[in-house]
Amino acid sequence: MVHRHTWAVSDFVVRPSGPLSGSVSIGGAKNSALKLMAACTLAEGRYVLRDVPQISDVHHMCGVLESLGMSTERREDGALVIERGPSVISDPPYELVERFRASTALMGPLVAATGRVRIALPGGDNFGTRPIDMHLRGLEALGAITEVGERDVQIVARRLIGARIELDYPSVGATENVLMAAVLAEGRTTICNAAREPEIADLAAFLNRMGAQVLGAGSSTIIVDGVDRLRAVEHTVIPDRIEAATVLAALGVAGGEITLRNVRHDHLGMLMEKLGHMGIRTSPEGDGLWAMATGRRSATNVATLPYPGLATDYLPLLVAVLTLADGTSFATENVFAGRFRYVSELAHMGADIGVDGHHMVIKGVKRLTGTAVEAVDIRAGAALVIAALGADGETVISGGDHLDRGYEGFVDKLRDIGVDVSRSLA
Ligand code: UD1
């Protein structure tokens, strides 16, 4: 059993606050934790995962794992304990999986562990905009047969055989699925043009601890020598670089001087570079980061790219900062073509942003205006909270449940550094 949280639908209410101060501890990375949880389907035994954030996406993944016959429990020290018996069910119920994209990470490990999987396609209509064709081609290259139906996909493989796989694009999800399948395949798999995100390296470290033989994760060529058996292990999830970026962007708008604890500076290189251009000073301090912002931010140009480029998840946060910067900035989204729905909400608050295709022209204004706006996804919601720090009056952000998907204790953490934020029942 897992601790049952209630994820109430509620608004975020933000009022302008003075400069931020104090320190905040960054939690484990959502985008790593969810994949490690999926990888626990690979082998029998008892896993202990530390620093798994208490967020609704994790809660949903626990539900999915339980539906497969596994057990999940939060220990008193916060660690997530997952147990998998000698066998595992390989068709999670449609309703549990459908609206929850990270569940696609179960395809690779389940087909490797059981020889077949039947799983809902992510988000129905989303299949058009967030396809899984590369995931499927990668698994097919390992010998799986895939059949995409209207609502779900079935993947069957009596045995997986290592192969050389060239990804069209360094997709994070496709790299992870192929990696998690290849660890139990027969022979060597080479993934070329692999995604290089830190979360991939964390997954490979976890798999290697389980007994897998993975080389090169974190670079664009990953070599996997398949093994017969894996075992359950303990692991600590890497810190969430997007949560760190969110707090730094809040500082960028409100100004002040803060310290972030539990960060990996080596994962934040491009972000710190861009923040520097805007006039936010950062400096590593042990396993933490000191940061300071005074006066007004400077305009700068930003463009998203696969890692080590600037993460697509950072862009809404940085755009929120640039709406208040001195001068005109250009921003380009290269990873997800349709990721602009937050722009109209920022404009509603008085931001001056023009969109042309996947480019934005942001003319900095001195102040925004608090009003009622809607969070359409996790980072869009965070961007609105950040923008609200530079708005006159109160901003009420609906769709707060999106923020619960990805941020643990968001309100408490922001309050600890001086943000005036609260929740109110919608
Ligand atoms: C993951 C992250 C997400 C992050 C993204 C890029 C999780 C749960 N989510 O998403 O927060 O923004 O990486 O860093 O970890 N694509 C295809 N076909 C495919 C797969 C992807 O066309 O089979 C396209 C996507 O539509 C998108 C691009 O490739 O345009 C990048 O997607 P991908 O790297 O796969 O992101 P996700 O793994 O979905």
Side-chain angles (χ1 to χ4, degrees):
M1 278 292 289
V2 66
H3 277 198
R4 295 292 171 203
H5 276 258
T6 46
W7 306 100
V9 176
S10 68
D11 296 340
F12 277 73
V13 181
V14 187
R15 295 184 195 86
S17 29
L20 307 185
S21 63
S23 82
V24 61
S25 186
I26 302 302
K30 161 177 105 63
N31 286 349
S32 185
L34 292 167
K35 317 307 167 59
L36 302 182
M37 292 172 73
C40 293
T41 59
L42 279 165
E44 180 181 357
R46 186 167 182 274
Y47 299 82
V48 178
L49 295 179
R50 284 177 292 269
D51 283 1
V52 174
Q54 301 245 22
I55 52 176
S56 63
D57 267 12
V58 163
H59 174 73
H60 290 136
M61 187 59 114
C62 286
V64 174
L65 295 183
E66 288 175 12
S67 78
L68 303 180
M70 296 164 66
S71 76
T72 68
E73 186 182 10
R74 276 280 175 189
R75 256 184 3 199
E76 252 172 40
D77 64 359
L80 182 65
V81 179
I82 298 177
E83 285 207 52
R84 183 230 199 248
S87 64
V88 68
I89 299 165
S90 60
D91 35 15
Y94 182 84
E95 314 71 55
L96 289 186
V97 172
E98 173 219 12
R99 294 208 169 276
F100 167 48
R101 181 167 171 90
S103 54
T104 52
L106 286 160
M107 294 190 302
L110 280 179
V111 76
T114 71
R116 62 169 294 275
V117 54
R118 183 183 203 107
I119 195 164
L121 290 169
D125 289 342
N126 272 350
F127 190 58
T129 50
R130 291 186 76 172
I132 53 167
D133 55 309
M134 277 188 261
H135 303 232
L136 299 183
R137 275 203 302 280
L139 296 174
E140 283 165 3
L142 297 176
I145 295 168
T146 67
E147 196 184 318
V148 178
E150 227 168 79
R151 292 182 354 143
D152 55 19
V153 55
Q154 175 152 270
I155 308 170
V156 183
R158 268 226 326 249
R159 57 186 197 142
L160 294 168
I161 298 176
R164 183 183 167 86
I165 296 165
E166 305 261 359
L167 294 177
D168 296 352
Y169 179 94
S171 153
V172 173
T175 303
E176 290 165 341
N177 258 322
V178 173
L179 175 59
M180 287 189 276
V183 287
L184 285 179
E186 210 177 296
R188 173 167 286 194
T189 298
T190 306
I191 310 173
C192 304
N193 198 23
R196 292 180 278 169
E197 270 68 5
E199 293 74 21
I200 307 266
D202 198 28
L203 175 61
F206 180 66
L207 294 168
N208 281 340
R209 202 166 273 180
M210 288 174 71
Q213 292 193 13
V214 182
L215 272 177
S219 80
S220 54
T221 306
I222 302 179
I223 297 171
V224 187
D225 283 317
V227 296
D228 291 337
R229 298 185 72 78
L230 297 167
R231 59 181 176 274
V233 292
E234 304 200 358
H235 186 82
T236 302
V237 180
I238 55 168
D240 196 316
R241 60 200 169 100
I242 311 169
E243 186 186 350
T246 305
V247 172
L248 290 167
L251 177 79
V253 171
E257 182 179 352
I258 58 170
T259 308
L260 280 64
R261 299 189 306 274
N262 191 37
V263 295
R264 284 279 300 263
H265 319 117
D266 52 330
H267 296 167
L268 296 174
M270 189 63 79
L271 177 72
M272 292 201 285
E273 169 103 13
K274 281 295 163 190
L275 294 176
H277 293 173
M278 294 179 196
I280 301 167
R281 289 164 59 197
T282 56
S283 166
E285 232 177 41
D287 78 339
L289 189 73
W290 167 90
M292 187 167 95
T294 51
R296 197 173 170 199
R297 302 292 72 73
S298 309
T300 191
N301 300 336
V302 286
T304 64
L305 279 176
Y307 193 85
L310 204 65
T312 170
D313 298 74
Y314 298 158
L315 195 67
L317 316 171
L318 298 181
V319 168
V321 180
L322 294 173
T323 60
L324 289 150
D326 185 10
T328 299
S329 308
F330 297 91
T332 302
E333 172 54 65
N334 291 311
V335 178
F336 286 107
R339 202 167 189 171
F340 285 105
R341 285 176 62 200
Y342 60 96
V343 171
S344 55
E345 299 303 295
L346 288 174
H348 209 45
M349 296 174 71
D352 183 348
I353 307 178
V355 178
D356 182 5
H358 62 132
H359 303 289
M360 278 180 267
V361 182
I362 306 154
K363 292 184 182 145
V365 296
K366 286 224 164 87
R367 294 292 291 172
L368 297 169
T369 309
T371 183
V373 284
E374 190 194 346
V376 289
D377 66 47
I378 307 178
R379 309 307 166 195
L384 294 172
V385 171
I386 290 162
L389 299 178
D392 291 325
E394 186 176 273
T395 304
V396 179
I397 301 153
S398 59
D401 48 319
H402 282 295
L403 283 142
D404 294 330
R405 285 188 44 220
Y407 290 97
E408 176 181 49
F410 197 42
V411 163
D412 290 341
K413 286 188 185 182
L414 290 177
R415 276 193 187 153
D416 281 351
I417 49 171
V419 174
D420 185 349
V421 53
S422 55
R423 300 289 294 255
S424 76
L425 275 186

